[in-house]
Structure formats: structure tokens, C-alpha cells
Amino acid sequence: AQSVTQPDARVTVSEGASLQLRCKYSYFGTPYLFWYVQYPRQGLQLLLKYYPGDPVVQGVNGFEAEFSKSNSSFHLRKASVHWSDWAVYFCAAGTQVVGQLTFGRGTRLQVYA
Amino acid sequence: DAGVTQTPRHEVAEKGQTIILKCEPVSGHNDLFWYRQTKIQGLELLSYFRSKSLMEDGGAFKDRFKAEMLNSSFSTLKIQPTEPKDSAVYLCASSLGWGGASAETLYFGSGTRLTVL
């Protein structure tokens, strides 16, 4: 069955520290992969998306993600976290055949000064 | 360009009532999705329309949840009758759809927070 797993429900970092949010997928073949962010009281917004090509994808606000076929992973990274990054981050996967995305449960990022 | 618009932002209902949530997708988008978001279950797909045709009706949600696309620019989600366990944020999203080698982005509304007493 298709699935997306975000093993960390909550991550806490200090402002200025580096960040990695983990995402593992289970899909037949190589799906398209996405990271979305949800700020308080808002809908989800796209951070970045991957389709077959360069394994490192650049997104908005200094975020990037790296695809690994061998590890079935698509981890999100940021070199220096800002307090405004406090939000919930969702990893998602999909294929054209299915026509819809499978979302992970989300990782809540808390940033402290 | 207008994004996805959802109304109302908040809804409070008594158990057993019928409520209707509304969604206006991004103009020109072909796909429309309704999701339910809770802290316990995360994002759950309720319905999926492609060019106004129902592609996915959410399985376990079929009995009391009914989504419709009255035209390409308006959709409703009816919950009848409501139960306290339906308390959640309901998100509507739209996209151009999957085409060629590109993967299309979902655009989400801000959601409707439903509380059922």
C-alpha cells in the first residue's frame, strides 16, 4: 500500500540552528514528492516539489530537500532556522496514475530563541 | 489571482444538524479535493473531483458526508447528520491536475473549523 511516514511528530530547535525533518515513502516506482507547510490558522502551502531529476530540490525561504531512492526518503533541510518557521510540515507523495496525494501525519516544528 | 476560498471560517452545530461547507477553487483548476484534518488522524481525503466528476468518495465517510461540484467554480460538502466526532478542520484544495511530466501543486483554502456540540 502507498504510504508516507514522518517519524517525528514534534521537533524543537533553537533559532539559528540547522534543521532536518524526516520523510520516508512507500510507493511502487518513484512517485513525485512534496513538502507543504501549514502556519497557524492557515491552509497548507507548497514549500518544494520533486520529480525525477536532480535529487536535491530547492524551495522557498531557504528550504531544500534531498531525494534518496535507496533509502526511500525525502528529508527536508534548512541551514539556519528562523522563529517564523514555527509551523507544521507535511510530506506528501503521488503519481499521475493515482491522481491524488498521500500525506504524512505532519511534523510540528517549534523554534526557540 | 484569488486563491481557494472557503466559507464559513467557523461553524458551530448541534448534534444531528445538517451543515454545508462551501469552497471556491482557483479559477481554471480542474481538480478539487476535500480533506478533514484532526490532530489524531492528520489529513484524511473525503472527496476528489476531476473536471467536476467524482473520482474518490472517501470510503468510510460516504454515509454522512456528501460533496458536490455544482459547477467548475463552486463545491459544497454536506454533513448530515453531524456528530461530535465530526469536529475538525475541513480543508478544500484545488489544482490544475496531473499532466505530462509535471506534478501539479495543490492550493489550499484556510479551512472551516467545525465544532459539533
Side-chain angles (χ1 to χ4, degrees):
Chain A
Q2 298 152 162
S3 67
V4 175
T5 302
Q6 294 179 249
D8 304 310
R10 187 188 302 252
V11 169
T12 302
V13 298
S14 299
E15 191 172 21
S18 63
L19 170 72
Q20 176 171 278
L21 301 182
R22 297 184 290 165
C23 173
K24 302 270 286 185
Y25 66 89
S26 175
Y27 254 80
F28 179 76
T30 300
Y32 300 125
L33 296 159
F34 305 76
W35 276 97
Y36 283 84
V37 60
Q38 185 178 31
Y39 299 106
R41 294 175 297 282
Q42 295 184 29
L44 283 69
Q45 305 170 35
L46 182 71
L47 269 182
L48 48 80
K49 62 183 177 184
Y50 166 83
Y51 38 87
D54 189 334
V56 178
V57 182
Q58 302 295 324
V60 297
N61 298 334
F63 285 95
E64 67 174 28
E66 183 166 7
F67 167 74
S68 171
K69 186 172 184 177
S70 60
N71 294 324
S72 297
S73 68
F74 189 55
H75 299 330
L76 182 70
R77 303 189 297 238
K78 187 169 183 178
S80 177
V81 172
H82 189 263
W83 66 266
S84 60
D85 295 325
W86 186 312
V88 181
Y89 293 80
F90 293 89
C91 182
T95 65
Q96 188 169 355
V97 172
V98 176
Q100 55 181 275
L101 298 184
T102 300
F103 283 87
R105 295 288 297 272
T107 297
R108 184 175 299 275
L109 173 65
Q110 296 178 320
V111 182
Y112 288 95
Chain B
D1 285 341
V4 175
T5 302
Q6 288 188 250
T7 55
R9 288 298 305 272
H10 303 276
E11 178 79 58
V12 179
E14 297 282 341
K15 177 184 174 182
Q17 269 188 280
T18 296
I19 62 104
I20 297 176
L21 309 181
K22 305 179 182 72
C23 174
E24 295 175 47
V26 175
S27 178
H29 279 189
N30 297 315
D31 289 3
L32 185 138
F33 303 81
W34 282 99
Y35 291 92
R36 184 170 78 173
Q37 184 177 26
T38 61
K39 287 186 177 176
I40 295 175
Q41 298 293 339
L43 282 163
E44 299 171 283
L45 180 68
L46 301 175
S47 291
Y48 161 37
F49 293 88
R50 170 165 290 177
S51 300
K52 299 190 293 180
S53 297
L54 183 63
M55 307 298 288
E56 170 67 53
D57 63 2
F61 297 96
K62 282 166 59 174
D63 58 342
R64 297 184 297 109
F65 291 73
K66 184 178 175 63
E68 292 183 308
M69 279 208 76
L70 306 181
N71 54 57
S72 60
S73 59
F74 187 69
S75 176
T76 59
L77 176 66
K78 179 191 288 188
I79 308 175
Q80 179 183 37
T82 52
E83 299 181 5
K85 65 181 179 180
D86 299 332
S87 297
V89 175
Y90 290 81
L91 294 169
C92 178
S94 69
S95 78
L96 284 170
W98 296 76
S102 67
E104 297 301 343
T105 300
L106 283 179
Y107 293 80
F108 283 82
S110 297
T112 295
R113 182 174 296 276
L114 173 65
T115 302
V116 182
L117 305 175

